[in-house]
Amino acid sequence: MKNLLLKSLEEIELIRESSQIVSKTLGMLANEIKPGVTTLKLDSLAESFIRDHDAEPGFLGLYGFPNTLCVSPNSQVVHGLPNKKPLKNGDIISIDCGVLKNEFYGDHAYTFTVGDVSDEIEELLYVTKASLYIGIREFKLNNRVGDVGYAIQNYCESYGYGVVRELVGHGIGRSMHEGPEMPNYGKRGRGKKFRDGMVVAIEPMINLGTHRVNHHKDGWTITTKDNLPSAHYEHNIALIDGKPELLSTFNYIYDSLGIKNKEEEEFKNYKI
Ligand code: MG
Ligand code: MG
């Protein structure tokens, strides 16, 4: 992983452009995710959509990954491979997508419900997404990497959930994965100090049960050790004028699903 690279405002705008194409892709997919659809179909729709926006799928070929989307249903945590198995009522599915445009990457993820899910799973999703914003609030001038991780861990563990240790968020820019690593666990006041111009992907991966995971023989798929469900949400955020600025948005998803949601408004500080 490359060392921390601070970005100019011009570079941040290019990351925002790539990130917004991911946001729109997830918004398009929100209309397609229903019982009966296969993840290979979603993958093909996403690839066409990204190319229609004069961009490249950011994951395809990265470290040898064979697809556009990482699709991780139910007990899969992240990095699941699209396949021909239809989604069914009651599933949840994390869809993680990357885009490369103008030599800069965007990368974020949302966990969707398929039909009706149990109250227990609804709460896991609610808490995991809330923890993402709790973490983002700590991404501010002179705070440190450990402040973000501590805030996410403390909140999620108060619900008895498992915070995945083996996979972490990251810096993003001309590479998909740059420093610093952004764990979803940690100690206050520890780790690299945040400075204006940093751009990161914060991405809590939170399990209903144990935090422990299994790595599968396909070299990609990661599941929870107890096979209980796992949730994953990710945003891209720049530090501008000391404050976190969201470069990605879930609002295209909410538009598709007919949901009114103002959760992102506090993170739109920077006006161009
Ligand atoms: Mg991602
Ligand atoms: Mg990421």
Side-chain angles (χ1 to χ4, degrees):
M1 198 177 275
K2 287 187 182 165
N3 285 332
L4 164 69
L5 299 170
L6 297 179
K7 276 79 179 179
S8 66
L9 289 176
E10 291 74 20
E11 290 172 326
I12 288 172
E13 285 314 306
L14 294 177
I15 300 171
R16 190 199 299 269
E17 190 177 339
S18 296
S19 194
Q20 290 282 315
I21 295 171
V22 176
S23 305
K24 289 173 186 168
T25 305
L26 295 176
M28 177 275 294
L29 292 173
N31 286 314
E32 307 292 334
I33 294 169
K34 51 191 78 153
V37 75
T38 69
T39 47
L40 260 183
K41 168 79 174 170
L42 299 177
D43 190 73
S44 140
L45 288 170
E47 178 172 357
S48 303
F49 187 89
I50 291 165
R51 294 196 191 281
D52 286 347
H53 285 75
D54 297 321
E56 300 284 320
F59 295 164
L60 186 63
L62 187 71
Y63 316 120
F65 190 76
N67 292 92
T68 293
L69 301 176
C70 293
V71 291
S72 308
N74 303 322
S75 66
Q76 293 189 18
V77 179
V78 286
H79 302 169
L81 297 164
N83 61 30
K84 290 182 178 167
K85 195 175 159 199
L87 295 178
K88 60 184 194 308
N89 188 53
D91 284 346
I92 57 170
I93 183 160
S94 152
I95 299 206
D96 196 346
C97 181
V99 154
L100 175 63
K101 185 170 182 176
N102 302 315
E103 299 177 22
F104 284 89
Y105 283 97
D107 162 31
H108 52 282
Y110 192 89
T111 300
F112 296 86
T113 56
V114 184
D116 303 313
V117 304
S118 69
D119 290 350
E120 188 181 43
I121 289 177
E122 287 281 9
E123 183 166 69
L124 173 69
L125 299 182
Y126 180 89
V127 169
T128 304
K129 183 150 65 70
S131 82
L132 169 61
Y133 294 108
I134 285 168
I136 292 171
R137 266 179 219 120
E138 299 297 319
F139 181 57
K140 59 188 180 187
L141 194 65
N142 295 328
N143 258 12
R144 291 176 182 270
V145 164
D147 295 309
V148 171
Y150 172 83
I152 293 170
Q153 179 182 16
N154 189 48
Y155 178 69
C156 293
E157 288 184 348
S158 75
Y159 285 83
Y161 296 150
V163 177
V164 174
R165 304 294 200 276
E166 294 175 44
L167 300 138
V168 297
H170 49 93
I172 185 166
R174 288 183 190 272
S175 301
M176 176 71 78
H177 299 117
E178 300 179 355
E181 289 194 344
M182 297 289 294
N184 300 302
Y185 57 91
K187 295 198 165 71
R188 279 179 176 150
R190 298 282 182 87
K192 194 170 276 298
K193 195 184 267 190
F194 298 135
R195 295 163 60 191
D196 277 341
M198 288 179 71
V199 182
V200 297
I202 297 178
E203 47 180 317
M205 288 155 260
I206 306 299
N207 300 345
L208 186 63
T210 178
H211 69 80
R212 295 184 187 282
V213 297
N214 283 331
H215 297 256
H216 286 241
K217 286 197 198 98
D218 63 19
W220 292 107
T221 310
I222 294 173
T223 55
T224 57
K225 207 146 217 159
D226 53 13
N227 276 318
L228 289 175
S230 181
H232 175 218
Y233 294 86
E234 177 177 18
H235 268 312
N236 297 146
I237 314 102
L239 191 53
I240 302 175
D241 294 338
K243 289 185 267 185
E245 164 81 15
L246 274 190
L247 304 182
S248 50
T249 177
F250 296 149
N251 286 337
Y252 294 107
I253 297 171
Y254 298 145
D255 287 349
S256 292
L257 300 178
I259 295 171
K260 287 207 188 333
N261 193 315
K262 296 187 172 177
E263 67 193 18
E264 296 177 5
E265 284 189 4
E266 68 177 285
F267 304 109
K268 298 206 184 291
N269 304 299
Y270 174 66
K271 303 280 182 285
I272 47 169

